[in-house]
Amino acid sequence: TGRYFVTGADDCLVKLWVLAAGAVLPPGARHGAARPRGAVLVSTLRGHSGYISDVAVSHDNVLVAAAAQDGDCRVWTIRDGTPVAVLRGHGNGCNMVAFCPTCPYRLITTADDGFARVWDVREAALKRAHHVVGRRRDYLLLPKEESGVEDDGDACPYVNGVEEHADDAAPAPP
């Protein structure tokens, strides 16, 4: 929306901020009261034990992910900071995370171990953050006949040669 931004640093915390310039006064505030300026901290997202090396926001502005030097990538909802998934599988520090521009629940991570991994957090988002994504059509698990997608019954766990992993799952060795 352009009103929020996310930071991550060596304190192992991810912080969600809102730009406060021109903020609406709270109910009951007197007319002419000072309005906050700059950025206001909305939430602090915890869980990493290594410094944050990258953060990403899904293109639908629902999820935020952070890659850290502890080797994990963690995913939360932007709306209220609900933890959605902990993506483990890199041997060394995770240094990059990015969401797919066409699939808001799919993301890719890279790490010092030399691997790029593709993750699908749709089921985790529906389970742990149903109050945020439950009515969004692109997150719903629709029966084949409703989805409009042709399925030959031979589902492949690979996207562009990279194995996909569900949340909290460790990847199979190459």
Side-chain angles (χ1 to χ4, degrees), residues 3-48:
R3 290 189 38 206
Y4 295 90
F5 65 95
V6 180
T7 60
D10 59 357
D11 60 0
C12 307
L13 301 174
V14 176
K15 295 182 179 183
L16 178 64
W17 305 82
V18 64
L19 297 176
V24 177
L25 290 174
R30 64 182 175 83
H31 184 61
R35 296 177 188 263
R37 294 193 176 274
V40 176
L41 180 64
V42 174
S43 62
T44 300
L45 309 174
R46 302 172 190 278
H48 282 294

mmCIF file of all heavy atoms in Angstrom, residues 3-48:
data_model
loop_
_atom_site.group_PDB
_atom_site.id
_atom_site.type_symbol
_atom_site.label_atom_id
_atom_site.label_comp_id
_atom_site.label_asym_id
_atom_site.label_seq_id
_atom_site.Cartn_x
_atom_site.Cartn_y
_atom_site.Cartn_z
ATOM 1 N N ARG A 3 2.212 2.538 2.594
ATOM 2 C CA ARG A 3 2.186 3.157 3.922
ATOM 3 C C ARG A 3 3.029 2.401 4.931
ATOM 4 O O ARG A 3 3.322 2.918 5.994
ATOM 5 C CB ARG A 3 0.750 3.220 4.442
ATOM 6 C CG ARG A 3 -0.112 4.203 3.703
ATOM 7 C CD ARG A 3 -1.444 4.408 4.373
ATOM 8 N NE ARG A 3 -1.299 4.404 5.813
ATOM 9 C CZ ARG A 3 -2.263 4.070 6.647
ATOM 10 N NH1 ARG A 3 -3.430 3.715 6.184
ATOM 11 N NH2 ARG A 3 -2.074 4.081 7.942
ATOM 12 N N TYR A 4 3.391 1.177 4.628
ATOM 13 C CA TYR A 4 4.135 0.339 5.558
ATOM 14 C C TYR A 4 5.511 0.024 5.011
ATOM 15 O O TYR A 4 5.709 0.007 3.802
ATOM 16 C CB TYR A 4 3.397 -0.986 5.792
ATOM 17 C CG TYR A 4 2.064 -0.821 6.475
ATOM 18 C CD1 TYR A 4 0.901 -0.643 5.741
ATOM 19 C CD2 TYR A 4 1.976 -0.855 7.860
ATOM 20 C CE1 TYR A 4 -0.320 -0.486 6.360
ATOM 21 C CE2 TYR A 4 0.750 -0.706 8.488
ATOM 22 C CZ TYR A 4 -0.391 -0.512 7.742
ATOM 23 O OH TYR A 4 -1.589 -0.358 8.363
ATOM 24 N N PHE A 5 6.449 -0.262 5.899
ATOM 25 C CA PHE A 5 7.729 -0.814 5.472
ATOM 26 C C PHE A 5 8.242 -1.747 6.560
ATOM 27 O O PHE A 5 7.819 -1.697 7.711
ATOM 28 C CB PHE A 5 8.746 0.261 5.078
ATOM 29 C CG PHE A 5 9.195 1.160 6.190
ATOM 30 C CD1 PHE A 5 10.365 0.894 6.895
ATOM 31 C CD2 PHE A 5 8.473 2.291 6.513
ATOM 32 C CE1 PHE A 5 10.782 1.725 7.908
ATOM 33 C CE2 PHE A 5 8.898 3.134 7.525
ATOM 34 C CZ PHE A 5 10.050 2.855 8.222
ATOM 35 N N VAL A 6 9.143 -2.639 6.155
ATOM 36 C CA VAL A 6 9.640 -3.690 7.035
ATOM 37 C C VAL A 6 11.146 -3.546 7.142
ATOM 38 O O VAL A 6 11.828 -3.272 6.154
ATOM 39 C CB VAL A 6 9.291 -5.085 6.458
ATOM 40 C CG1 VAL A 6 9.794 -6.189 7.371
ATOM 41 C CG2 VAL A 6 7.796 -5.213 6.230
ATOM 42 N N THR A 7 11.671 -3.761 8.359
ATOM 43 C CA THR A 7 13.117 -3.735 8.564
ATOM 44 C C THR A 7 13.550 -5.011 9.278
ATOM 45 O O THR A 7 12.772 -5.637 9.992
ATOM 46 C CB THR A 7 13.556 -2.528 9.416
ATOM 47 O OG1 THR A 7 12.935 -2.587 10.708
ATOM 48 C CG2 THR A 7 13.216 -1.219 8.730
ATOM 49 N N GLY A 8 14.794 -5.375 9.063
ATOM 50 C CA GLY A 8 15.421 -6.487 9.763
ATOM 51 C C GLY A 8 16.868 -6.112 9.999
ATOM 52 O O GLY A 8 17.470 -5.417 9.176
ATOM 53 N N ALA A 9 17.432 -6.562 11.126
ATOM 54 C CA ALA A 9 18.784 -6.109 11.450
ATOM 55 C C ALA A 9 19.536 -7.166 12.247
ATOM 56 O O ALA A 9 19.087 -8.300 12.400
ATOM 57 C CB ALA A 9 18.716 -4.797 12.222
ATOM 58 N N ASP A 10 20.685 -6.744 12.795
ATOM 59 C CA ASP A 10 21.538 -7.665 13.548
ATOM 60 C C ASP A 10 21.010 -7.950 14.953
ATOM 61 O O ASP A 10 21.599 -8.737 15.685
ATOM 62 C CB ASP A 10 22.979 -7.150 13.613
ATOM 63 C CG ASP A 10 23.086 -5.786 14.261
ATOM 64 O OD1 ASP A 10 22.040 -5.186 14.612
ATOM 65 O OD2 ASP A 10 24.224 -5.305 14.396
ATOM 66 N N ASP A 11 19.875 -7.357 15.331
ATOM 67 C CA ASP A 11 19.264 -7.670 16.625
ATOM 68 C C ASP A 11 18.326 -8.869 16.526
ATOM 69 O O ASP A 11 17.637 -9.207 17.484
ATOM 70 C CB ASP A 11 18.527 -6.459 17.197
ATOM 71 C CG ASP A 11 17.398 -5.960 16.290
ATOM 72 O OD1 ASP A 11 17.173 -6.550 15.210
ATOM 73 O OD2 ASP A 11 16.755 -4.963 16.669
ATOM 74 N N CYS A 12 18.303 -9.519 15.362
ATOM 75 C CA CYS A 12 17.494 -10.726 15.084
ATOM 76 C C CYS A 12 15.995 -10.452 15.051
ATOM 77 O O CYS A 12 15.192 -11.381 15.126
ATOM 78 C CB CYS A 12 17.791 -11.838 16.095
ATOM 79 S SG CYS A 12 19.532 -12.235 16.249
ATOM 80 N N LEU A 13 15.597 -9.209 14.933
ATOM 81 C CA LEU A 13 14.184 -8.838 14.938
ATOM 82 C C LEU A 13 13.764 -8.303 13.577
ATOM 83 O O LEU A 13 14.531 -7.634 12.889
ATOM 84 C CB LEU A 13 13.913 -7.765 15.994
ATOM 85 C CG LEU A 13 14.244 -8.128 17.432
ATOM 86 C CD1 LEU A 13 14.046 -6.910 18.330
ATOM 87 C CD2 LEU A 13 13.396 -9.290 17.894
ATOM 88 N N VAL A 14 12.518 -8.583 13.224
ATOM 89 C CA VAL A 14 11.888 -8.001 12.045
ATOM 90 C C VAL A 14 10.844 -7.035 12.579
ATOM 91 O O VAL A 14 10.053 -7.391 13.456
ATOM 92 C CB VAL A 14 11.228 -9.091 11.174
ATOM 93 C CG1 VAL A 14 10.495 -8.473 10.001
ATOM 94 C CG2 VAL A 14 12.269 -10.093 10.700
ATOM 95 N N LYS A 15 10.851 -5.816 12.060
ATOM 96 C CA LYS A 15 9.914 -4.805 12.560
ATOM 97 C C LYS A 15 9.074 -4.263 11.416
ATOM 98 O O LYS A 15 9.582 -3.982 10.337
ATOM 99 C CB LYS A 15 10.672 -3.671 13.254
ATOM 100 C CG LYS A 15 11.385 -4.155 14.506
ATOM 101 C CD LYS A 15 12.084 -3.040 15.222
ATOM 102 C CE LYS A 15 12.768 -3.601 16.479
ATOM 103 N NZ LYS A 15 13.409 -2.533 17.249
ATOM 104 N N LEU A 16 7.787 -4.122 11.697
ATOM 105 C CA LEU A 16 6.835 -3.575 10.747
ATOM 106 C C LEU A 16 6.494 -2.159 11.189
ATOM 107 O O LEU A 16 6.102 -1.943 12.339
ATOM 108 C CB LEU A 16 5.577 -4.440 10.685
ATOM 109 C CG LEU A 16 4.463 -3.969 9.763
ATOM 110 C CD1 LEU A 16 4.919 -3.972 8.315
ATOM 111 C CD2 LEU A 16 3.241 -4.850 9.925
ATOM 112 N N TRP A 17 6.661 -1.205 10.282
ATOM 113 C CA TRP A 17 6.450 0.208 10.561
ATOM 114 C C TRP A 17 5.354 0.755 9.676
ATOM 115 O O TRP A 17 5.154 0.282 8.570
ATOM 116 C CB TRP A 17 7.724 0.997 10.284
ATOM 117 C CG TRP A 17 8.934 0.518 11.003
ATOM 118 C CD1 TRP A 17 9.757 -0.517 10.659
ATOM 119 C CD2 TRP A 17 9.478 1.051 12.208
ATOM 120 N NE1 TRP A 17 10.776 -0.643 11.567
ATOM 121 C CE2 TRP A 17 10.637 0.311 12.527
ATOM 122 C CE3 TRP A 17 9.105 2.110 13.044
ATOM 123 C CZ2 TRP A 17 11.404 0.582 13.649
ATOM 124 C CZ3 TRP A 17 9.879 2.383 14.158
ATOM 125 C CH2 TRP A 17 11.014 1.626 14.456
ATOM 126 N N VAL A 18 4.670 1.794 10.143
ATOM 127 C CA VAL A 18 3.705 2.526 9.322
ATOM 128 C C VAL A 18 4.162 3.978 9.275
ATOM 129 O O VAL A 18 4.634 4.528 10.272
ATOM 130 C CB VAL A 18 2.260 2.402 9.876
ATOM 131 C CG1 VAL A 18 2.124 3.029 11.245
ATOM 132 C CG2 VAL A 18 1.256 2.997 8.910
ATOM 133 N N LEU A 19 4.057 4.569 8.084
ATOM 134 C CA LEU A 19 4.387 5.981 7.936
ATOM 135 C C LEU A 19 3.267 6.792 8.552
ATOM 136 O O LEU A 19 2.097 6.617 8.216
ATOM 137 C CB LEU A 19 4.562 6.341 6.460
ATOM 138 C CG LEU A 19 5.716 5.618 5.772
ATOM 139 C CD1 LEU A 19 5.744 5.963 4.293
ATOM 140 C CD2 LEU A 19 7.030 5.964 6.425
ATOM 141 N N ALA A 20 3.603 7.669 9.469
ATOM 142 C CA ALA A 20 2.589 8.360 10.264
ATOM 143 C C ALA A 20 2.247 9.748 9.761
ATOM 144 O O ALA A 20 1.343 10.365 10.283
ATOM 145 C CB ALA A 20 3.055 8.437 11.712
ATOM 146 N N ALA A 21 2.950 10.269 8.790
ATOM 147 C CA ALA A 21 2.656 11.617 8.311
ATOM 148 C C ALA A 21 1.216 11.684 7.824
ATOM 149 O O ALA A 21 0.776 10.866 7.028
ATOM 150 C CB ALA A 21 3.609 12.009 7.199
ATOM 151 N N GLY A 22 0.464 12.646 8.347
ATOM 152 C CA GLY A 22 -0.931 12.794 7.950
ATOM 153 C C GLY A 22 -1.836 11.761 8.582
ATOM 154 O O GLY A 22 -2.928 11.517 8.107
ATOM 155 N N ALA A 23 -1.388 11.151 9.667
ATOM 156 C CA ALA A 23 -2.193 10.123 10.324
ATOM 157 C C ALA A 23 -3.496 10.716 10.849
ATOM 158 O O ALA A 23 -3.556 11.876 11.246
ATOM 159 C CB ALA A 23 -1.412 9.502 11.476
ATOM 160 N N VAL A 24 -4.529 9.918 10.846
ATOM 161 C CA VAL A 24 -5.821 10.341 11.360
ATOM 162 C C VAL A 24 -5.749 10.375 12.877
ATOM 163 O O VAL A 24 -5.206 9.459 13.503
ATOM 164 C CB VAL A 24 -6.925 9.362 10.883
ATOM 165 C CG1 VAL A 24 -8.268 9.743 11.464
ATOM 166 C CG2 VAL A 24 -6.969 9.321 9.368
ATOM 167 N N LEU A 25 -6.315 11.411 13.477
ATOM 168 C CA LEU A 25 -6.313 11.508 14.934
ATOM 169 C C LEU A 25 -7.226 10.453 15.525
ATOM 170 O O LEU A 25 -8.284 10.151 14.970
ATOM 171 C CB LEU A 25 -6.792 12.898 15.369
ATOM 172 C CG LEU A 25 -5.837 14.046 15.083
ATOM 173 C CD1 LEU A 25 -6.516 15.374 15.423
ATOM 174 C CD2 LEU A 25 -4.563 13.892 15.879
ATOM 175 N N PRO A 26 -6.855 9.881 16.669
ATOM 176 C CA PRO A 26 -7.714 8.889 17.302
ATOM 177 C C PRO A 26 -9.002 9.531 17.805
ATOM 178 O O PRO A 26 -9.033 10.739 18.064
ATOM 179 C CB PRO A 26 -6.862 8.366 18.463
ATOM 180 C CG PRO A 26 -5.821 9.396 18.693
ATOM 181 C CD PRO A 26 -5.630 10.108 17.401
ATOM 182 N N PRO A 27 -10.075 8.741 17.949
ATOM 183 C CA PRO A 27 -11.340 9.292 18.460
ATOM 184 C C PRO A 27 -11.103 9.929 19.826
ATOM 185 O O PRO A 27 -10.373 9.422 20.656
ATOM 186 C CB PRO A 27 -12.249 8.067 18.577
ATOM 187 C CG PRO A 27 -11.621 7.037 17.701
ATOM 188 C CD PRO A 27 -10.163 7.335 17.651
ATOM 189 N N GLY A 28 -11.723 11.075 20.053
ATOM 190 C CA GLY A 28 -11.603 11.753 21.339
ATOM 191 C C GLY A 28 -10.455 12.737 21.406
ATOM 192 O O GLY A 28 -10.351 13.511 22.356
ATOM 193 N N ALA A 29 -9.557 12.744 20.421
ATOM 194 C CA ALA A 29 -8.439 13.693 20.427
ATOM 195 C C ALA A 29 -8.971 15.072 20.076
ATOM 196 O O ALA A 29 -9.863 15.212 19.245
ATOM 197 C CB ALA A 29 -7.367 13.261 19.438
ATOM 198 N N ARG A 30 -8.419 16.077 20.709
ATOM 199 C CA ARG A 30 -8.915 17.435 20.458
ATOM 200 C C ARG A 30 -8.444 17.916 19.087
ATOM 201 O O ARG A 30 -7.357 17.565 18.626
ATOM 202 C CB ARG A 30 -8.503 18.381 21.572
ATOM 203 C CG ARG A 30 -7.047 18.580 21.708
ATOM 204 C CD ARG A 30 -6.753 19.519 22.900
ATOM 205 N NE ARG A 30 -5.342 19.619 23.113
ATOM 206 C CZ ARG A 30 -4.533 20.431 22.446
ATOM 207 N NH1 ARG A 30 -5.017 21.214 21.530
ATOM 208 N NH2 ARG A 30 -3.249 20.454 22.699
ATOM 209 N N HIS A 31 -9.257 18.716 18.483
ATOM 210 C CA HIS A 31 -8.927 19.267 17.171
ATOM 211 C C HIS A 31 -7.686 20.139 17.296
ATOM 212 O O HIS A 31 -7.549 20.914 18.235
ATOM 213 C CB HIS A 31 -10.111 20.069 16.626
ATOM 214 C CG HIS A 31 -9.884 20.588 15.244
ATOM 215 N ND1 HIS A 31 -9.667 19.744 14.181
ATOM 216 C CD2 HIS A 31 -9.822 21.841 14.748
ATOM 217 C CE1 HIS A 31 -9.492 20.470 13.095
ATOM 218 N NE2 HIS A 31 -9.581 21.750 13.411
ATOM 219 N N GLY A 32 -6.767 20.027 16.387
ATOM 220 C CA GLY A 32 -5.537 20.796 16.429
ATOM 221 C C GLY A 32 -4.425 20.110 17.197
ATOM 222 O O GLY A 32 -3.336 20.644 17.328
ATOM 223 N N ALA A 33 -4.684 18.903 17.735
ATOM 224 C CA ALA A 33 -3.639 18.166 18.465
ATOM 225 C C ALA A 33 -2.527 17.772 17.490
ATOM 226 O O ALA A 33 -2.754 17.610 16.294
ATOM 227 C CB ALA A 33 -4.229 16.910 19.114
ATOM 228 N N ALA A 34 -1.327 17.630 18.022
ATOM 229 C CA ALA A 34 -0.180 17.262 17.198
ATOM 230 C C ALA A 34 -0.379 15.878 16.592
ATOM 231 O O ALA A 34 -0.800 14.950 17.274
ATOM 232 C CB ALA A 34 1.095 17.292 18.030
ATOM 233 N N ARG A 35 -0.088 15.765 15.323
ATOM 234 C CA ARG A 35 -0.172 14.470 14.640
ATOM 235 C C ARG A 35 1.216 13.841 14.645
ATOM 236 O O ARG A 35 2.211 14.543 14.505
ATOM 237 C CB ARG A 35 -0.647 14.651 13.209
ATOM 238 C CG ARG A 35 -2.045 15.205 13.123
ATOM 239 C CD ARG A 35 -2.425 15.431 11.671
ATOM 240 N NE ARG A 35 -3.671 16.131 11.573
ATOM 241 C CZ ARG A 35 -4.842 15.529 11.370
ATOM 242 N NH1 ARG A 35 -4.894 14.240 11.255
ATOM 243 N NH2 ARG A 35 -5.939 16.243 11.282
ATOM 244 N N PRO A 36 1.283 12.523 14.789
ATOM 245 C CA PRO A 36 2.601 11.878 14.760
ATOM 246 C C PRO A 36 3.256 12.043 13.393
ATOM 247 O O PRO A 36 2.580 12.079 12.376
ATOM 248 C CB PRO A 36 2.283 10.409 15.056
ATOM 249 C CG PRO A 36 0.829 10.255 14.815
ATOM 250 C CD PRO A 36 0.194 11.603 14.960
ATOM 251 N N ARG A 37 4.568 12.154 13.385
ATOM 252 C CA ARG A 37 5.324 12.279 12.137
ATOM 253 C C ARG A 37 6.340 11.157 12.082
ATOM 254 O O ARG A 37 6.701 10.563 13.077
ATOM 255 C CB ARG A 37 6.037 13.619 12.077
ATOM 256 C CG ARG A 37 5.106 14.790 11.998
ATOM 257 C CD ARG A 37 5.901 16.041 11.624
ATOM 258 N NE ARG A 37 5.046 17.180 11.453
ATOM 259 C CZ ARG A 37 4.423 17.481 10.311
ATOM 260 N NH1 ARG A 37 4.574 16.714 9.267
ATOM 261 N NH2 ARG A 37 3.657 18.536 10.219
ATOM 262 N N GLY A 38 6.834 10.890 10.868
ATOM 263 C CA GLY A 38 7.835 9.853 10.703
ATOM 264 C C GLY A 38 7.203 8.486 10.636
ATOM 265 O O GLY A 38 6.151 8.303 10.044
ATOM 266 N N ALA A 39 7.832 7.515 11.267
ATOM 267 C CA ALA A 39 7.339 6.136 11.244
ATOM 268 C C ALA A 39 6.983 5.695 12.657
ATOM 269 O O ALA A 39 7.642 6.060 13.622
ATOM 270 C CB ALA A 39 8.401 5.216 10.661
ATOM 271 N N VAL A 40 5.940 4.886 12.747
ATOM 272 C CA VAL A 40 5.491 4.360 14.024
ATOM 273 C C VAL A 40 5.606 2.837 13.961
ATOM 274 O O VAL A 40 5.141 2.215 13.001
ATOM 275 C CB VAL A 40 4.034 4.773 14.310
ATOM 276 C CG1 VAL A 40 3.529 4.139 15.593
ATOM 277 C CG2 VAL A 40 3.912 6.297 14.357
ATOM 278 N N LEU A 41 6.222 2.242 14.971
ATOM 279 C CA LEU A 41 6.369 0.788 15.030
ATOM 280 C C LEU A 41 5.015 0.144 15.273
ATOM 281 O O LEU A 41 4.321 0.475 16.223
ATOM 282 C CB LEU A 41 7.348 0.403 16.149
ATOM 283 C CG LEU A 41 7.611 -1.079 16.328
ATOM 284 C CD1 LEU A 41 8.282 -1.672 15.098
ATOM 285 C CD2 LEU A 41 8.481 -1.305 17.563
ATOM 286 N N VAL A 42 4.654 -0.785 14.384
ATOM 287 C CA VAL A 42 3.374 -1.477 14.482
ATOM 288 C C VAL A 42 3.542 -2.814 15.200
ATOM 289 O O VAL A 42 2.769 -3.163 16.077
ATOM 290 C CB VAL A 42 2.757 -1.701 13.084
ATOM 291 C CG1 VAL A 42 1.503 -2.539 13.172
ATOM 292 C CG2 VAL A 42 2.489 -0.380 12.402
ATOM 293 N N SER A 43 4.570 -3.580 14.813
ATOM 294 C CA SER A 43 4.802 -4.861 15.476
ATOM 295 C C SER A 43 6.261 -5.282 15.331
ATOM 296 O O SER A 43 6.950 -4.877 14.401
ATOM 297 C CB SER A 43 3.877 -5.957 14.930
ATOM 298 O OG SER A 43 4.104 -6.176 13.573
ATOM 299 N N THR A 44 6.683 -6.106 16.279
ATOM 300 C CA THR A 44 8.016 -6.686 16.260
ATOM 301 C C THR A 44 7.851 -8.191 16.117
ATOM 302 O O THR A 44 7.153 -8.823 16.916
ATOM 303 C CB THR A 44 8.784 -6.356 17.559
ATOM 304 O OG1 THR A 44 8.886 -4.928 17.662
ATOM 305 C CG2 THR A 44 10.169 -6.963 17.546
ATOM 306 N N LEU A 45 8.464 -8.757 15.097
ATOM 307 C CA LEU A 45 8.327 -10.180 14.787
ATOM 308 C C LEU A 45 9.597 -10.892 15.246
ATOM 309 O O LEU A 45 10.692 -10.545 14.830
ATOM 310 C CB LEU A 45 8.095 -10.353 13.286
ATOM 311 C CG LEU A 45 6.972 -9.473 12.710
ATOM 312 C CD1 LEU A 45 6.910 -9.589 11.200
ATOM 313 C CD2 LEU A 45 5.647 -9.811 13.344
ATOM 314 N N ARG A 46 9.436 -11.877 16.098
ATOM 315 C CA ARG A 46 10.569 -12.546 16.731
ATOM 316 C C ARG A 46 10.675 -14.002 16.301
ATOM 317 O O ARG A 46 9.750 -14.559 15.768
ATOM 318 C CB ARG A 46 10.404 -12.495 18.253
ATOM 319 C CG ARG A 46 10.294 -11.099 18.797
ATOM 320 C CD ARG A 46 9.943 -11.074 20.287
ATOM 321 N NE ARG A 46 9.628 -9.741 20.729
ATOM 322 C CZ ARG A 46 10.518 -8.826 21.064
ATOM 323 N NH1 ARG A 46 11.793 -9.110 21.016
ATOM 324 N NH2 ARG A 46 10.138 -7.630 21.452
ATOM 325 N N GLY A 47 11.837 -14.583 16.579
ATOM 326 C CA GLY A 47 12.016 -16.007 16.332
ATOM 327 C C GLY A 47 13.390 -16.366 15.796
ATOM 328 O O GLY A 47 13.858 -17.477 15.996
ATOM 329 N N HIS A 48 14.022 -15.452 15.106
ATOM 330 C CA HIS A 48 15.348 -15.741 14.547
ATOM 331 C C HIS A 48 16.424 -15.665 15.627
ATOM 332 O O HIS A 48 16.307 -14.898 16.581
ATOM 333 C CB HIS A 48 15.689 -14.763 13.420
ATOM 334 C CG HIS A 48 15.013 -15.078 12.124
ATOM 335 N ND1 HIS A 48 15.289 -16.218 11.402
ATOM 336 C CD2 HIS A 48 14.073 -14.410 11.421
ATOM 337 C CE1 HIS A 48 14.552 -16.226 10.308
ATOM 338 N NE2 HIS A 48 13.801 -15.143 10.299
#
